[in-house]
Every structure is written in C-alpha cells, then in structure tokens.
Amino acid sequence: MLIMKTPGAVLLLLWLGLLVGASESGDIDLLVQKYIRTELESENVESRLQAIVETTLLPFKQRRAVAFTAALQPPSGDKDGYGHIGPFSEEVTLIHQKVLTNVGEAYNNTSGVFTAPVSGVYFFTFTTYSWVKNKNIGVKLMKNNDEVLLIWENQDSGDNEDYASNSVVLELEVGDTVYMRLPEGFCVGASIRANIHTFSGFLL
Ligand SMILES: *[C@@H]1O[C@H](CO)[C@@H](O)[C@H](O)[C@H]1NC(C)=O
Ligand SMILES: *[C@@H]1O[C@H](CO)[C@@H](O)[C@H](O)[C@H]1NC(C)=O
C-alpha cells in the first residue's frame, strides 16, 4: 500500500527504472500491463477517481455558462435587406435585436445591454459594417459609463464599404454592463437577411 501514497512522478521514475532494466530482457509490454493492472486492481483506485472528479471536474461543470451573440438589424432594409442606422444628433446605444445565442440570458435584446451575472473575466468582440459615402462610421464599446474601445473611419466618396472589428478581455463584477454605442453623427450598416454586424461576449 506504500506505493499508492507515492507521488505519480516518483512512481513513474520507479517504473522507468524497471523498464530500462526490463528492456534488456525484452519484457516492456508485460511490465506496462502489470503496472496498469496493479493500478486498476488496487483498492484505492475508486477513491482516487472520486477525488479527481470532486476537485477538477465538478467545479468546472457547475460553473455558470454565460455566452451571447446578437446581430444588428436596420430599421428597414432595401430589396436585399440592407439598411443604415444613423446618423443621429446624439449618441445612441446600438441594439443588436436578433439573438443568435444567449446562454444565461445576460444580454438584453430590448436595451442592447449585457449585464454580468457573475464576477469574472469576460471576452467581448464585435464586427461592424457600413456602406455609405462621405460620412463618419464607427462604434464604441462601453463598460458601465466608460468607453473601452472605439473604431472609427471617415468614409470618402470612393471607398464606401467597410468592415471593422475589435475585441477586449474585461474583468467584470456582478451587475457591470457592457454595450455598444453609435457616436453622434456616425452611421453603420446592418442587414435583415444576413448577420453582418454582430456583438458577442462570453465568460472565460
Ligand atoms: C429577443 O430576445 C427574446 C428573449 O430572449 C427572444 O424571444 C426574441 O426572439 C429575441 N428577438 C430576436 C429578434 O431575436
Ligand atoms: C430588458 O431591457 C428593457 C428595456 O430597458 C427592460 O424593460 C427589461 O426589463 C429588460 N429585461 C430584463 C430581463 O432585464
């Protein structure tokens, strides 16, 4: 029973030593089989497996899953379903109404706001799309009242179609909010048919 209390690394070294000795007699397979059989037959195997389940697997399984992806929808679309949002005379929250995934229901598709249900480290990413001329395009990602990310471009009259994206890892407390804003005078594109403008986040 002494061997069952020996740390794995020491056990491994012991067996490697035996294997080197055994290799001369060409009996490695037999020794490995014997080692595995000893492990499986030992009376401690069940309690050792139980300990692994309790310390490693259960906390992982019980951890709350939080993950969402939502797509922006235009107020109205052209014949292909594409449309614009903005420009507006004041900054507005972008509401990604079309929910693709919302595990944990932490993203609200009426307000456009994600509210952290548990404290932890979260990852957020967004992709924004536009097709306008001679206008500012861009979006902000906010944490509570603070701007975390801004992407911005002045579209000239030649180049009128663009995608941009950005991502961030944020440490959030319960109740912290993360959402996207459209700066005053800016506009973005979206589609009713295709998910070209999306906002995603998940708990790491
Ligand atoms: C908005 O969220 C509600 C509740 O999760 C859901 O029933 C509804 O289908 C969502 N709307 C869209 C456009 O996905
Ligand atoms: C979602 O946001 C709307 C608008 O702010 C609010 O009325 C509603 O209570 C929110 N839903 C949940 C489940 O918090």
Side-chain angles (χ1 to χ4, degrees):
M1 276 307 102
L2 174 69
I3 206 165
M4 298 312 299
K5 292 192 163 63
T6 316
V10 176
L11 259 181
L12 189 65
L13 282 176
L14 253 173
W15 278 103
L16 279 177
L18 284 174
L19 286 180
V20 170
S23 67
E24 284 155 17
S25 60
D27 220 6
I28 294 176
D29 282 358
L30 209 67
L31 273 174
V32 171
Q33 281 176 29
K34 191 176 169 203
Y35 171 66
I36 293 170
R37 198 174 308 118
T38 311
E39 282 288 288
L40 290 179
E41 284 170 359
S42 87
E43 59 196 61
N44 281 356
V45 161
E46 206 167 315
S47 63
R48 287 169 72 187
L49 280 178
Q50 187 63 29
I52 290 170
V53 167
E54 277 166 17
T55 57
T56 314
L57 297 178
L58 279 184
F60 188 75
K61 273 182 74 178
Q62 284 164 358
R63 217 191 53 172
R64 193 157 171 182
V66 182
F68 77 94
T69 291
L72 199 62
Q73 305 285 277
S76 63
D78 65 12
K79 67 175 168 47
D80 294 319
Y82 289 80
H84 301 288
I85 296 172
F88 300 116
S89 58
E90 57 179 2
E91 188 171 302
V92 298
T93 296
L94 281 172
I95 301 166
H96 295 67
Q97 299 100 326
K98 185 174 166 189
V99 168
L100 304 182
T101 305
N102 200 3
V103 176
E105 301 286 324
Y107 175 72
N108 183 330
N109 69 347
T110 307
S111 62
V113 176
F114 171 85
T115 306
V118 289
S119 298
V121 181
Y122 290 77
F123 178 80
F124 293 92
T125 187
F126 61 83
T127 296
T128 176
Y129 169 79
S130 70
W131 59 288
V132 289
K133 292 185 179 188
N134 301 313
K135 282 193 171 62
N136 283 327
I137 58 161
V139 290
K140 290 177 180 179
L141 184 135
M142 310 287 294
K143 174 185 167 184
N144 299 325
N145 293 319
D146 301 325
E147 180 183 314
V148 179
L149 303 174
L150 168 70
I151 56 173
W152 169 86
E153 188 181 333
N154 180 264
Q155 296 278 69
D156 61 25
S157 55
D159 170 25
N160 67 348
E161 199 169 22
D162 269 308
Y163 274 100
S165 73
N166 209 340
S167 308
V168 65
V169 170
L170 288 176
E171 220 171 329
L172 302 180
E173 300 296 329
V174 175
D176 279 347
T177 57
V178 176
Y179 53 98
M180 312 239 10
R181 299 275 279 173
L182 181 68
E184 176 197 335
F186 280 46
C187 62
V188 286
S191 171
I192 291 164
R193 295 244 295 260
N195 302 320
I196 52 174
H197 195 137
T198 55
F199 176 33
S200 302
F202 53 86
L203 176 65
L204 293 177

